Every structure is written in structure tokens, then in C-alpha cells.
């Protein structure tokens, strides 16, 4: 660890902010346990990816500028999502290519932006976590994290440190679940086939739980698993790594008071 | 073929309902990627080879006029006649004129995507010339009156029993009681029928995987050897190719061949790789008396000057189809034209016009697998996104749902308002979903809840909880009721 704790701007992502704040707190705990000073700029909303991938370049640029302005003062930007981190890291510099005022700022932010598990392992060199879970889990490699940021070994390395946990790989761990942002509602029938293939593949592992680093995929996968009547639980990898398992698994009812 | 790409949604729905297609696609999209991976694992320099392939193609595209003229000069010196054609109509007329001057009644063909692109079979038939496909897959779909569902494996949507049924129906001269339950029997029957066609043909028509500027040769690869019979038995040979198929040297051709077979079928090299240069020379034991090459633009030079130039590096290996999870769900026919999968989603709008293929660039999750496996490193998702940007401006499907997107963006650009509105919204949703933790049905969210449940939000936003934590209040995040 450096002598001064790195100042991390936590990009919570809109899905975690709205749907599952417990993932955000789990991520913050992991970062703080690893010695970071975590701050959450209030001016953050969305990274702009839905607009960007829908062809709405103007709004994508406006939202990207908002993110850059809110986060450029930090040592690092960390998001519990390969998709949003990929947007900032890979696509912001492209969005502003040729824009003298913004290209440099976008590039400097991009270089300091990480997906959560990649940041913990690659930057902070975290080797262990103080979590325990007696379960067999399988890991779904969300597309952007995997292919844009090379997130593959990092979550597995951290999961290997969870006491009692067994990771069982599925055959199609790297295959898209069919979420694809607005794709899942624009082409619901195709998305259904994709998420059904994914659910079958995950269920074939016999694992108790599926983990991933992106809430979009997890909402899709959990929703299909529930629709199929599967008992397999779905959680964000940060919840397991932080030992934050108080919240019911995704799509499951809360404990009766 | 008439493009049905505008009916993509209906096509896809039909495909998804086809149980047999599901089976074929499941096995195909598993075995092809596995074979590719195996063969690439044996070649440590594969990625370096890709870089070399990309730079060859980029160099050609930057100097296309030079290499085409050089190719023409070399081919002409070998006795080949080059026909420059602006578009599909000119190419069809040119090929028909060659057939007529040869007095042709039967034309044997080896598989050619350009042949499909210009719909040469329909045109020749309408003009009294009988085209016969000689690639097994192409032959099957020709006798069934279908179009290819994959650029490489045209009959991948069919299974053995489908083909046996078709052969019984079409090959009426053969004994009705013959066994056709083994693939070998189907193959043997096609061979027998095609043998006669090879010998009877007056003109042979092939595509070209590459055109070699250095020698004026065409390169044709097959696994069946049928192209060699198509090229060497008839008196007249016609090869039809689009402009971007030219490569500078034989060595460049070899580099691309090494990428092609591995990416396409997971082979080190295809069973037959044929370099053909001009007609039969005095003393040659065989070969055609006339050798024609139809060099067709059909939209390529327009792509060369625009944002889709990288697409011209495509060598038609089909790797992007084989690895695409959307293609794996719906197969090739749903895309509605010759080219399917990710490459088709860029090529079809580029060649037919964006208004003829509105859905194609949208029907992708941008999972990035296509770009990952493309031997030519074509940025397929970026190009699809670019097509979406054009639609957003001009009003295609990318612009549908614009209202919701604009509302979202409006809020997202006003953080304080966004925080209040979202806290209210998720709080309400959490109350509604409290019992089950998820929704089976939800008004305005039917596209989500059709195939899958919607997990309910926890109830508070992270932002509001974080603000409480900073103010020193205990974060009550297990609460499910929402009070912003």
C-alpha cells in the first residue's frame, strides 16, 4: 500500500444506485478494507452508455462530460461494473476524439478508471478477503468487462480466497446473457432465447449461486432463473467478497419481519 | 434473392419457433468455435498473423486502383478477359452474354457469395440457362429452392432427415427404396447426380476468394474439390469477384489463407486450394478455352470512401457468425439477405441501403465476440453503433423509444432532480414488489417481463443511503419501503 491512502471516486452506476444499493456498500467496504478513501460524488447519474449504444451521441457526450467533471479530481475511479467502467475507459476517449477541450480530460479519466475486481487485484494487489460462504458458485463473465477490460482472472482470484467457497465453471461462462442494455427490451424474443441458453448452462453446473460483476446481466439472469423456477441464487460478486449477504439474493423476497 | 431484411423481426420470430433449427444451431455454434480454438492453440503466431493480414488488406484498400490495374494487366497477359462491372445488373448481363456466346445450356457453379449477392441463378434460369450448384450444401438448398443460411455452411439449418426427404422428392429416377439415413449415402447420391452435371456443363462459374495482382491468378478454396471440376471441365470459365478481393502477392495470399481456414472451419488449410491463371495454354492437358473474370464494384468503392471501409477487409470466413449469440438463436435466414450475423448487419445496410435493413445493426448486444474472433480485426460493434447513430438522426428503429431515452437523459443531466425522481420511483416499485421480491408482470415493462421476472429494487437508492451515512445516521438499508 502507498503511504497515503488512494482517493477513490466511486462510480456507483445507475443500476446499483437504483436497484441494489447493497452492492454499492459491499464495493465500498472492499475498497475501504483495501485501504482506500472512498468518496461518492453526488453529481453522478449515468455513464451515458444507453444513449451511446442507441445512437444518441449528443446525450452520450453530455453525460460523459458530467462524469468527467465529477470524477477528474480523484486518484482513481472505480465502478462495480465492467460495462460502465468499459464505457469510461474505452469509449469516452473515442467520443471526444478530435475535441481539443475534452479529449485529454477524457483520456486522463479513462486511464484511472477501473472495474472493481480488476482494481482490487491489478492496482491494489489485494490477495485475500475476509469473507466466508459455504457454497458452490459459478461465475458469469459479463461481456464488456471480459472483452473490453480483460476482467477474467481477477474475480476468480478473489473468490478463491473466500473461505468455504467452491467455484464451478460453466461451459458458456463467456457467452453473452442477452441483456445488452436496451437490446433486451427491443428484441425480447431473441433476448429470451439467449438468456434461456445462459440459464440452462448455469443450471447445468449444479452451483447454488451465480455471481457476476455487472448488475444488468444479473437482473436478466436472475429474472430468467426465477421464471424457470430455478432455486439458483444470483448475486453481485462484491456481495460475496465483502461478506455482505444480508440483503436477499437478487429477485428473492425479503425475510419476513 | 429478394431481401427480406426489413422483416427481420418476423423472420427472427419464425426462426425461434423452429425446434429443428434450434437443434442444428446449438450443435453448430458449439462445434465450430471449438474447432477454431483448437487449431489456433496450435499456432502461437496466430495474432501476429492477424496483424499481418490486417496490414495487407489496409494497404490494398489504400492502393486499390493500383492493384486492380496491375491484376488486370497480369491476368490479360495470361489470356484472361476482364469485365469491369459497376453493379449486380451489369455483372448478371455480362455473365449471361458469356454463356450465350458459348451456347451454354448448363452452367456448373461452385459456392460463391457474390453469386448469391447478384442472384445469378435466378437470372440465368429466367434466361434459359440452367445453373447447377456443385457444393453439397449449395446443391441441397438449390434443389429445395432456399437460400444459404450461412456464408460458409449454406445448409446448416437442415438436418440429415430433411435432406434425405428432399433427395427422395427430387431424384425421382433413383430407386424409391434406397437407404438415405447415413450422411455417406446422401453424399454418394449427390456425387452421382452431380458427376453427370460436371461433364455436361458448357460454362463453369466460380467466385474467387482472392485475386493475386502479382500473377493475375484467382484463388478458390473448397473442401469438396468441386470448384476444380467446375474450373477445368467446361470449355468456358467465368469467375465473379468484387473489387476488394485483390491482394498484392502470392505470399500475401498465403498469409490470408492461413487465417481463412483456421477462422472459418478450424482447419489448418482447406482440402483444396486452387490458384488458376488464365485459360488452357498450348500443351496443357486440360483447362478451359476461355477464362473470364467479372470484376464487380456493387457498392464497394462507396464503402471505401466512408466509415465502413474496414468492412472491406472481410474475407468471408464466417467466424463472426459462428460465435455470435444472436446468430446462434435465429440462424442466417432471419437476417433476410445473403450476408448474415454481425458481418451481414454491417454489409447489408452498406450494400442495399440502410433503409433496407433497419433492424440489423440494432439486433446486437455488442457483446464484442465477433470483433474478438474476426481474423481481420474488423470493429463490427463500432460500425453497428455508427449505423445506429445515423438512424437516430434520420429516424430508424434506433430512434424508436427515443422519448423514453430522451426523458432518461434529461433527468440524468440534472443530478439533483434525478436523485429525487429516482428515489421516488424505486421506492414505489419496491413497495409493489415487496412480497415476492420480483415482478412477473408490470405495466409498461412487458418487454422485460415477457421472458423473465423483474427483480424488485431494494427500496432506497445508494445515493440517499450514502448521504445519510455521511450525515452520521445509521444507514437503514435493509428497509424495503421507499421514502425518499
Amino acid at each position: 500500500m502507498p503511504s497515503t491512502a488512494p482517493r477513490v471516486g466511486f462510480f456507483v452506476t445507475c443500476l446499483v444506485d437504483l436497484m441494489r444499493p447493497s452492492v454499492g456498500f459491499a464495493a465500498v467496504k472492499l475498497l475501504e478494507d483495501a485501504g482506500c478513501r472512498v468518496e461518492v460524488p453526488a453529481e453522478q447519474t449515468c455513464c451515458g452508455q444507453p444513449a451511446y449504444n442507441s445512437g444518441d451521441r449528443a446525450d452520450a457526450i453530455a453525460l460523459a462530460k458530467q462524469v468527467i467533471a465529477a470524477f477528474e479530481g480523484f486518484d482513481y475511479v472505480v465502478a462495480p461494473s465492467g460495462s460502465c467502467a468499459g464505457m469510461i475507459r474505452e469509449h469516452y476517449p473515442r467520443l471526444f476524439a478530435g475535441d481539443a477541450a475534452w479529449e485529454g480530460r477524457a483520456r486522463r479519466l479513462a486511464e484511472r478508471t477501473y472495474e472493481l475486481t480488476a482494481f482490487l487485484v491489478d492496482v491494489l494487489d489485494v490477495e485475500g478477503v475476509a469473507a466466508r460462504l459455504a457454497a458452490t458458485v459459478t461465475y458469469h463473465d459479463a461481456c464488456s468487462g471480459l472483452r473490453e477490460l480483460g476482467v477474467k482472472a481477477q474475480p476468480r482470484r478473489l473468490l478463491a480466497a473466500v473461505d468455504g467457497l467452491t467455484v464451478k465453471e460453466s461451459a458458456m461462462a463467456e457467452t453473452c446473457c442477452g441483456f445488452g442494455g436496451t437490446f433486451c427490451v427491443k428484441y425480447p424474443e431473441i433476448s429470451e432465447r439467449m438468456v434461456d441458453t445462459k440459464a440452462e448452462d448455469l443450471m447445468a453446473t449444479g452451483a447454488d449461486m451465480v455471481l457476476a460483476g455487472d448488475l444488468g446481466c444479473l437482473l436478466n439472469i436472475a429474472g430468467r432463473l426465477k421464471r424457470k423456477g430455478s432455486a439458483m441464487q444470483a448475486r453481485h460478486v462484491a456481495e460475496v467478497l465483502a461478506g455482505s449477504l444480508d440483503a436477499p439474493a437478487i429477485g428473492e423476497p425479503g425475510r419476513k419481519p | 434473392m429478394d431481401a427480406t431484411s426489413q422483416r427481420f423481426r418476423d423472420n427472427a420470430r419464425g426462426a425461434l419457433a423452429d425446434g429443428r433449427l434450434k437443434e442444428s444451431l446449438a450443435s453448430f455454434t458449439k462445434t465450430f468455435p471449438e474447432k477454431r480454438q483448437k487449431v489456433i492453440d496450435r499456432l502461437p503466431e496466430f495474432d501476429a498473423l492477424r496483424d499481418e493480414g490486417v496490414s495487407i488488406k489496409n494497404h490494398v484498400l489504400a492502393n486499390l486502383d493500383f492493384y486492380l490495374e496491375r491484376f488486370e494487366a497480369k491476368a490479360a497477359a495470361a489470356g484472361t478477359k476482364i469485365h469491369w462491372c459497376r453493379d449486380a445488373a451489369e455483372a448478371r448481363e455480362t455473365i449471361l452474354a458469356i454463356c450465350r456466346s458459348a451456347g451454354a445450356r448448363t452452367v456448373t457453379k461452385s459456392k460463391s457469395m457474390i453469386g448469391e449477392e447478384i442472384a445469378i441463378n435466378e437470372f440465368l434460369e429466367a434466361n434459359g440457362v440452367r445453373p447447377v450448384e456443385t457444393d453439397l450444401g449449395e446443391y441441397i438448398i438449390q434443389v429445395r429452392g432456399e437460400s444459404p443460411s450461412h456464408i460458409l455452411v449454406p445448409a446448416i439449418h437442415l438436418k440429415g432427415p430433411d435432406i434425405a426427404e428432399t433427395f427422395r422428392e427430387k431424384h425421382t429416377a433413383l430407386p424409391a427404396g434406397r437407404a438415405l439415413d447415413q450422411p455417406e449415402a446422401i453424399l454418394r447420391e449427390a456425387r452421382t447426380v452431380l458427376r453427370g452435371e460436371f461433364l455436361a456443363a458448357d460454362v463453369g462459374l466460380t467466385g474467387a476468394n482472392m485475386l493475386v495482382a502479382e500473377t493475375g491468378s484467382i484463388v478458390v478454396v473448397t473442401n469438396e474439390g468441386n470448384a476444380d471440376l467446375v474450373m477445368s471441365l467446361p470449355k468456358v470459365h467465368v469467375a465473379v469477384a468484387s473489387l476488394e478481393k485483390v491482394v498484392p502477392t502470392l505470399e500475401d495470399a498465403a498469409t490470408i489463407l492461413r487465417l481463412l481456414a483456421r477462422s472459418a472451419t478450424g482447419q489448418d488449410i482447406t482440402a483444396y486450394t486452387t490458384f488458376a491463371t488464365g485459360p488452357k495454354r498450348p500443351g496443357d492437358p486440360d483447362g478451359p478455352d476461355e477464362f473470364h473474370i467479372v470484376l464487380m464494384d456493387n457498392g464497394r468503392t462507396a464503402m471505401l470512401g466512408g466509415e465502413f471501409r474496414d468492412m472491406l477487409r472481410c474475407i468471408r470466413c464466417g467466424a463472426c457468425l459462428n460465435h455470435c449469440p444472436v446468430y446462434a438463436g435465429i440462424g442466417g435466414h432471419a437476417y433476410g439477405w445473403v450476408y448474415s450475423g454481425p458481418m451481414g448487419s454491417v454489409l447489408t445496410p452498406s450494400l442495399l441501403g440502410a433503409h433496407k435493413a433497419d433492424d440489423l445493426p440494432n439486433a446486437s448486444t455488442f457483446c464484442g465476440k465477433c470483433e474478438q474472433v474476426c481474423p481481420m480485426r474488423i470493429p463490427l460493434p463500432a460500425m453497428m453503433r455508427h449505423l445506429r447513430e445515423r438512424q437516430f438522426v434520420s429516424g430508424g428503429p434506433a430512434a424508436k423509444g427515443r422519448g423514453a431515452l430522451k426523458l432518461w437523459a434529461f433527468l440524468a443531466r440534472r443530478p439533483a432532480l434525478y436523485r429525487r425522481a429516482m428515489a421516488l420511483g424505486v421506492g414505489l416499485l419496491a413497495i409493489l414488489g415487496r412480497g415476492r421480491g420480483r415482478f412477473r408482470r408490470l405495466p409498461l415493462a412487458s418487454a422485460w417481463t415477457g421472458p423473465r421476472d423483474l427483480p424488485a429494487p431494494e427500496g432506497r437508492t445508494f445515493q440517499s443511503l450514502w448521504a445519510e451515512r455521511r450525515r452520521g445516521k445509521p444507514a437503514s438499508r435493509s428497509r424495503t419501503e421507499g421514502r425518499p
Side-chain angles (χ1 to χ4, degrees):
Chain A
M1 283 307 301
S3 55
T4 52
R7 212 173 133 243
V8 169
F10 183 58
F11 187 79
V12 62
T13 80
C14 51
L15 284 179
V16 167
D17 181 34
L18 305 180
M19 300 297 287
R20 202 161 172 81
S22 52
V23 172
F25 284 98
V28 169
K29 178 176 185 301
L30 288 166
L31 291 167
E32 288 178 342
D33 287 354
C36 300
R37 272 191 296 147
V38 179
E39 292 176 38
V40 182
E43 302 75 39
Q44 60 176 303
T45 55
C46 165
C47 67
Q49 190 176 179
Y52 181 57
N53 282 348
S54 300
D56 180 2
R57 212 177 159 82
D59 278 319
I61 286 175
L63 287 167
K65 285 181 176 172
Q66 187 172 291
V67 171
I68 294 169
F71 282 91
E72 61 192 344
F74 292 95
D75 297 333
Y76 298 102
V77 180
V78 177
S81 157
S83 176
C84 310
M87 177 70 191
I88 299 173
R89 219 182 140 93
E90 291 296 305
H91 298 284
Y92 277 14
R94 287 179 209 173
L95 261 180
F96 294 106
D99 181 333
W102 284 91
E103 190 176 358
R105 293 172 75 180
R107 205 164 288 285
R108 281 191 294 281
L109 188 77
E111 284 161 4
R112 287 178 285 126
T113 300
Y114 291 88
E115 182 274 339
L116 175 70
T117 62
F119 180 71
L120 292 172
V121 172
D122 299 341
V123 179
L124 301 180
D125 211 14
V126 170
E127 289 191 344
V129 288
R132 198 194 134 66
L133 176 65
T136 300
V137 303
T138 187
Y139 195 85
H140 164 70
D141 294 292
C143 298
S144 302
L146 175 70
R147 280 181 272 272
E148 292 186 340
L149 305 176
V151 178
K152 175 80 185 179
Q154 301 92 330
R156 288 172 176 80
R157 178 167 142 188
L158 295 171
L159 285 170
V162 176
D163 192 20
L165 197 73
T166 307
V167 180
K168 190 139 188 281
E169 294 291 344
S170 72
M172 298 169 73
E174 294 189 2
T175 300
C176 178
C177 72
F179 173 64
T182 55
F183 172 88
C184 67
V185 288
K186 279 185 178 164
Y187 300 92
E189 295 94 347
I190 303 174
S191 178
E192 172 172 4
R193 172 63 56 82
M194 292 165 74
V195 71
D196 192 65
T197 305
K198 171 57 66 179
E200 292 287 339
D201 181 57
L202 295 170
M203 285 155 64
T205 62
D208 312 307
M209 190 186 286
V210 52
L211 302 178
D214 267 274
L215 194 52
C217 316
L218 283 164
L219 293 170
N220 185 39
I221 291 169
R224 185 64 188 176
L225 285 169
K226 295 296 155 216
R227 181 64 55 93
K228 288 171 83 75
S230 166
M232 182 180 265
Q233 296 192 334
R235 284 187 187 271
H236 193 283
V237 65
E239 300 174 51
V240 169
L241 294 176
S244 309
L245 300 169
D246 291 345
I250 298 170
E252 307 228 327
R255 288 179 196 89
K256 298 281 175 290
Chain B
M1 66 188 273
D2 288 330
T4 65
S5 10
Q6 258 332 52
R7 296 202 294 275
F8 174 80
R9 281 171 184 276
D10 291 337
N11 295 348
R13 248 171 241 133
L16 288 165
D18 182 341
R20 222 182 235 190
L21 177 66
K22 184 181 174 184
E23 255 178 71
S24 304
L25 287 169
S27 103
F28 163 75
T29 53
K30 184 172 182 296
T31 52
F32 269 61
E34 281 173 1
K35 282 201 275 184
R36 172 191 173 272
Q37 195 56 50
K38 232 180 239 169
V39 78
I40 283 169
D41 289 344
R42 288 206 303 265
L43 192 74
E45 71 268 35
F46 186 72
D47 270 335
L49 210 54
R50 287 170 79 186
D51 294 335
E52 209 180 310
V54 170
S55 81
I56 291 169
K57 280 285 193 177
N58 283 345
H59 173 75
V60 165
L61 294 174
N63 302 279
L64 193 57
D65 50 347
F66 172 80
Y67 285 112
L68 283 170
E69 281 175 8
R70 188 162 175 187
F71 174 76
E72 180 182 34
K74 287 287 179 181
T80 300
K81 173 89 180 84
I82 302 280
H83 308 262
W84 298 90
C85 296
R86 260 182 295 259
D87 54 25
E90 277 189 23
R92 284 191 293 260
E93 290 294 348
T94 304
I95 294 168
L96 180 64
I98 297 169
C99 291
R100 286 205 166 130
S101 83
R105 289 163 56 189
T106 302
V107 172
T108 41
K109 278 191 66 203
S110 76
K111 195 165 85 63
S112 155
M113 293 319 291
I114 295 291
E116 299 290 338
E117 185 181 319
I118 66 173
I120 189 64
N121 286 4
E122 293 91 322
F123 184 75
L124 290 177
E125 263 166 47
N127 287 282
V129 179
R130 193 171 64 96
V132 180
E133 295 288 353
T134 63
D135 169 273
L136 178 60
E138 284 283 344
Y139 176 72
I140 292 164
I141 59 163
Q142 187 187 24
V143 296
R144 287 173 67 93
E146 292 180 352
S147 60
S149 64
H150 187 289
I151 58 169
L152 224 70
V153 204
I156 196 61
H157 57 290
L158 300 173
K159 300 203 75 137
D162 303 315
I163 301 162
E165 194 184 309
T166 305
F167 277 17
R168 280 190 203 290
E169 214 171 283
K170 299 286 171 174
H171 301 154
T172 45
L174 296 171
R178 68 194 187 280
L180 278 176
D181 44 356
Q182 293 302 315
E184 292 79 4
I186 290 173
L187 179 64
R188 208 176 309 117
E189 179 161 322
R191 265 174 95 105
T192 310
V193 173
L194 286 171
R195 191 59 53 165
E197 304 285 9
F198 278 124
L199 294 167
D202 311 292
V203 170
L205 180 61
T206 65
N209 293 86
M210 278 178 278
L211 310 166
V212 185
E214 182 181 39
T215 57
S217 316
I218 65 168
V219 185
V220 179
V221 302
T222 71
N223 274 317
E224 299 173 19
N226 58 314
D228 300 270
L229 293 176
V230 168
M231 281 194 274
S232 52
L233 292 175
K235 294 190 300 291
V236 176
H237 182 62
V238 185
V240 55
S242 50
L243 303 180
E244 81 282 11
K245 295 283 172 194
V246 67
V247 296
T249 66
L250 287 169
E251 202 170 324
D252 297 329
T255 301
I256 289 171
L257 283 172
R258 294 180 76 195
L259 288 165
L260 177 60
R262 288 181 171 87
S263 303
T265 46
Q267 294 170 286
D268 292 308
I269 190 156
T270 41
Y272 296 86
T273 302
T274 304
F275 291 73
T277 317
K280 181 161 83 173
R281 295 164 303 186
D284 280 351
D286 53 25
D289 297 329
E290 292 176 32
F291 199 105
H292 300 266
I293 296 178
V294 175
L295 266 180
M296 183 182 72
D297 181 348
N298 210 30
R300 270 69 174 178
T301 50
M303 287 173 72
L304 193 64
E307 292 90 345
F308 303 105
R309 176 184 181 134
D310 288 341
M311 194 62 219
L312 294 174
R313 290 204 299 267
C314 178
I315 55 174
R316 307 292 190 263
C317 69
C320 61
L321 281 65
N322 304 349
H323 291 78
C324 175
V326 174
Y327 181 93
I330 60 177
H333 283 151
Y335 292 82
W337 198 47
V338 183
Y339 304 112
S340 56
M343 54 87 80
S345 297
V346 176
L347 264 185
T348 304
S350 298
L351 297 178
L352 293 183
H355 60 291
K356 291 269 180 72
D358 276 330
D359 274 300
L360 264 45
N362 292 295
S364 161
T365 60
F366 286 163
C367 81
K369 190 74 191 176
C370 50
E371 185 174 357
Q372 186 192 354
V373 298
C374 175
M376 287 292 155
R377 302 192 193 280
I378 299 170
L380 289 155
M383 285 191 287
M384 286 186 254
R385 185 182 293 110
H386 191 78
L387 286 161
R388 294 182 191 183
E389 282 170 2
R390 286 189 178 180
Q391 284 186 13
F392 197 82
V393 175
S394 67
K400 277 181 201 143
R402 192 189 220 147
L405 195 70
K406 281 281 168 196
L407 176 64
W408 168 258
F410 175 86
L411 288 169
R413 290 172 67 176
R414 288 159 183 79
L417 177 63
Y418 172 95
R419 282 195 300 276
R420 281 198 298 275
M422 292 300 153
L424 196 68
V426 299
L428 193 67
L429 209 55
I431 291 167
L432 290 171
R434 191 163 41 190
R436 290 171 56 86
R438 58 184 183 270
F439 300 93
R440 280 190 74 84
R441 233 179 268 130
L442 197 66
L444 301 176
S446 60
W448 179 281
T449 55
R452 50 183 108 65
D453 290 359
L454 176 67
E458 288 179 343
R460 298 282 306 274
T461 66
F462 178 86
Q463 294 259 38
S464 64
L465 291 165
W466 182 262
E468 269 183 24
R469 180 175 131 161
R470 283 194 55 203
R471 286 198 301 269
K473 286 190 201 167
S476 52
R477 38 182 214 269
S478 56
R479 246 167 55 189
T480 49
E481 61 279 330
R483 255 166 240 129

